[in-house]
Amino acid sequence: MNVFLWVVQAVLAAVFLLAGAMHATQPKEKLRPMAPWVEDFTLTRIRLIGGVELLGAVGLILPAVTGIASILTPLAATGLAVTMLGAVATHARRKEPAAIVVNVVLLAPAAVIAWARFGPYAF
């Protein structure tokens, strides 16, 4: 199970690293075609969301790899799950069901990692 969790953590970290880098660095006009939700947020909030995604991605891997404060890994997973709940709410309000599916697909492994790393498969 530990190997499975590591694989899920690595894949989830890669996804959030890419999304976070995009949200944290790209101008709003460039994000708009692929992420229409940016219309509802200021550039500062979009950057903040990108920063949260980047921190979550790093938090899934780095604390456990270094052995320093490995409690940060399940906390990062929990934070990403909460972020995805916010994304679901945003896309539900905007009536974007396809985006909700993507958010739920990202929410599920984040929740599994949080549950497993807080509980039976902690470091």
Side-chain angles (χ1 to χ4, degrees), residues 73-93:
T73 297
L75 288 174
T78 302
L80 289 173
V82 170
T83 301
M84 287 300 96
L85 286 174
V88 166
T90 297
H91 292 299
R93 182 174 35 83

Side-chain angles (χ1 to χ4, degrees), residues 31-45:
L31 291 170
R32 196 171 288 126
M34 58 192 133
W37 59 267
V38 300
E39 288 296 324
D40 295 353
F41 294 89
T42 65
L43 186 58
T44 303
R45 284 200 176 166

